[in-house]
Amino acid sequence: MTLPLIVSDEVRALAPGFTPIAVEAHGLVNGPSTEASSALLDDAARRLAVRLDGRAPHEDPHMTAWREAYTAFGSKPSRTRNSAEALAKRALSEAGLPRINLLVDVYNAISVAYLVPVGGEDIDRIEGGMRLVRATGEEDFVTVAGGAEVVEHPDAGEVVWRDEAGVTCRRWNWRQGPRTRLTEETVSGIFLLESMAPMPVAEVEQAAAELAGLLEKFSPGARITVHP
């Protein structure tokens, strides 16, 4: 992998059932949402409804495990939901899933269809490698509020993704910062699928393979590698 990804020992101790899989892609072509990417999101919502079979997203065993992990580092999972649960709630609502851009639509569709948190980062905007750590509380998280750039700090003990410049995603996968997000200019991306037991590892691998296939479909000729 061209981009180092490290999960700290203290995070592994917090959630022994955590399994991340990365899909690394170079030579991507991004752009506005299309009819094809919109159709993917609609299909993902249908697949989610079949998976849940009438249950609320938080009642799914995988989401229950994520809620337990959030509680373990001091977050309130009903207030700050993991990204998959938050997307699933939107998918089942009247408003439906947002259309962001081609690449984000693709990974959001996989997240919803498999009910697994998936994030995408622009490799060219990451400084050094990425580490999943428990925050000291002094790290910088640059975000936007009211149209202006603001600097927040995670809570001490909070699980965050970070690079050499600061936090890229707060509360594990709750809120991504704008600095490393995928834009229409993105050509290289790292896509992280994050699962907890009891989700079978084979199912996460299937989700990663489907994501890789979709990236290849929408960016013919892209160099894509799945890293278990």
Side-chain angles (χ1 to χ4, degrees):
M1 188 184 303
T2 59
L3 180 75
L5 289 173
I6 297 171
V7 178
S8 69
D9 290 343
E10 52 188 3
V11 171
R12 292 206 179 274
L14 179 77
F18 175 59
T19 300
I21 294 180
V23 179
E24 184 177 359
H26 299 273
L28 293 169
V29 179
N30 200 7
S33 300
T34 64
E35 286 187 11
S37 71
S38 184
L40 273 181
L41 291 168
D42 289 339
D43 182 60
R46 287 190 287 269
R47 290 167 67 180
L48 172 68
V50 171
R51 174 181 292 267
L52 290 174
D53 192 25
R55 295 172 299 170
H58 71 269
E59 295 174 312
D60 179 86
H62 189 213
M63 294 298 94
T64 298
W66 270 106
R67 283 183 164 230
E68 290 170 354
Y70 268 49
T71 300
F73 68 77
S75 184
K76 294 182 178 179
S78 58
R79 189 175 67 184
T80 54
R81 294 179 174 87
N82 74 79
S83 65
E85 184 182 327
L87 268 181
K89 281 181 65 67
R90 293 195 67 170
L92 298 173
S93 72
E94 283 190 18
L97 289 164
R99 274 60 172 166
I100 309 295
N101 60 51
L102 191 58
L103 291 178
V104 175
D105 290 353
V106 167
Y107 81 71
N108 278 349
I110 293 297
S111 177
V112 169
Y114 286 88
L115 202 54
V116 61
V118 184
E121 307 277 355
D122 188 321
I123 289 177
D124 295 327
R125 294 168 181 256
I126 295 169
E127 298 190 21
M130 290 184 63
R131 292 177 287 140
L132 187 66
V133 301
R134 299 197 70 176
T136 65
E138 298 178 359
E139 298 89 347
D140 287 345
F141 176 70
V142 181
T143 186
V144 175
E149 186 176 283
V150 296
V151 178
E152 298 178 354
H153 303 284
D155 299 326
E158 181 182 323
V159 176
V160 297
W161 279 104
R162 65 159 301 162
D163 65 1
E164 295 304 318
V167 173
T168 58
C169 195
R170 286 198 58 188
R171 296 193 179 122
W172 215 314
N173 48 43
W174 167 65
R175 182 195 289 172
Q176 182 187 34
R179 174 170 60 90
T180 59
R181 68 186 173 192
L182 302 176
T183 68
E184 293 183 17
E185 288 71 48
T186 297
V187 294
S188 294
I190 189 83
F191 301 84
L192 293 170
L193 296 86
E194 302 182 294
S195 71
M196 293 279 181
M199 187 176 196
V201 173
E203 188 173 5
V204 194
E205 293 172 339
Q206 181 182 345
E210 185 173 341
L211 174 57
L214 288 171
L215 293 172
E216 190 170 15
K217 174 184 175 182
F218 285 98
S219 295
R223 303 181 306 282
I224 300 166
T225 310
V226 178
H227 303 278

